[in-house]
Amino acid sequence: MHTMSTQSAPIGKMEFLSFQLGGMEYGVDFRKVKELRTFKSLDRFASEGTIVKGVAVSRGVIMPLVDMRVAFNERAASPDPMTDVIILQLSSCVMGMVVDGVTDVVRLYPNQISPIPGLTRDSDCDYLMGLGETDGRRLILVDIDKLMSIRRETVAGAQKAA
C-alpha cells in the first residue's frame, strides 16, 4: 500500500469535468471547478458582448461569464434557462464558463492521454493538453488557465491599439 503526496507529479488517475460544445466533448481539470450552476440561477448584469456574456454573481463573488459556445462554434443559440455554467477558480480570477451541457467527471490515467493529431509545438493552441480516451469516448482536454490568459491578452492588446 502506498500513499501519494500532494506535491508529487500525478501518477494515478487525473479527474476532468467533461462538457459538450458544438457536438464535441471537452474536459477541464476538475480541481479548477468551484461549482456547477444553471444560467437562469445566476444573478446577471451588464450583459453586452458576444463571447463575454456580461457579469454574474454567485455566492457573493462577482465574475465574468464567458460563452464558450460562441468562442468554439461562432454561432451559438441564446442560452436557455437550463444551459450549464461551470464556475472555475483560475489562477488569476473566478469566472463562469457557459457550455452546451456538462456530462460527468472522467478519470484518466496519463497513458490514456495522447497528443492531438496534427498539432505542433509551435502551434498557437498550447491550451490544448491532449486527447483523452476512455470507454470509447474521446475528450479534448483544455488547460483553461492558458486558454483564458490568451483571451485576456488578446482583449487587452485590442484595447491598447484602439
Side-chain angles (χ1 to χ4, degrees):
M1 180 160 129
H2 73 283
T3 58
M4 193 164 89
S5 165
T6 56
Q7 295 177 348
S8 66
I11 299 168
K13 288 187 176 182
M14 294 172 283
E15 293 185 324
F16 295 90
L17 182 71
S18 64
F19 57 92
Q20 297 279 333
L21 276 177
M24 303 286 287
E25 194 169 19
Y26 294 84
V28 293
D29 185 342
F30 187 70
R31 295 172 299 180
K32 301 280 185 187
V33 178
K34 264 183 81 118
E35 66 179 307
L36 302 174
R37 301 285 298 269
T38 58
F39 191 78
K40 75 174 183 180
S41 71
L42 294 171
D43 292 325
R44 295 176 311 281
F45 56 94
S47 182
E48 56 182 72
T50 306
I51 292 177
V52 177
K53 286 288 185 203
V55 178
V57 179
S58 176
R59 301 182 194 272
V61 176
I62 298 172
M63 73 190 93
L65 278 181
V66 177
D67 194 339
M68 297 303 287
R69 301 164 321 140
V70 174
F72 277 64
N73 199 17
E74 291 186 24
R75 43 184 181 83
S78 296
D80 73 34
M82 297 310 293
T83 298
D84 287 321
V85 177
I86 304 169
I87 298 178
L88 299 161
Q89 176 67 62
L90 303 181
S91 57
S92 60
C93 68
V94 174
M95 64 160 280
M97 184 170 74
V98 182
V99 298
D100 288 334
V102 171
T103 316
D104 60 2
V105 176
V106 176
R107 292 166 183 85
L108 298 171
Y109 284 106
N111 66 355
Q112 292 175 290
I113 301 171
S114 57
I116 295 177
L119 213 58
T120 65
R121 287 181 185 226
D122 302 338
S123 171
D124 289 337
C125 299
D126 68 339
Y127 58 86
L128 296 176
M129 297 166 51
L131 193 60
E133 295 190 52
T134 181
D135 300 327
R137 290 170 65 187
R138 300 177 100 187
L139 280 81
I140 300 167
L141 305 176
V142 178
D143 181 328
I144 199 66
D145 269 308
K146 283 186 181 177
L147 178 61
M148 289 305 141
S149 68
I150 289 170
R151 298 273 180 231
R152 279 195 302 277
E153 288 166 11
T154 302
V155 170
Q159 287 174 344
K160 287 179 186 172

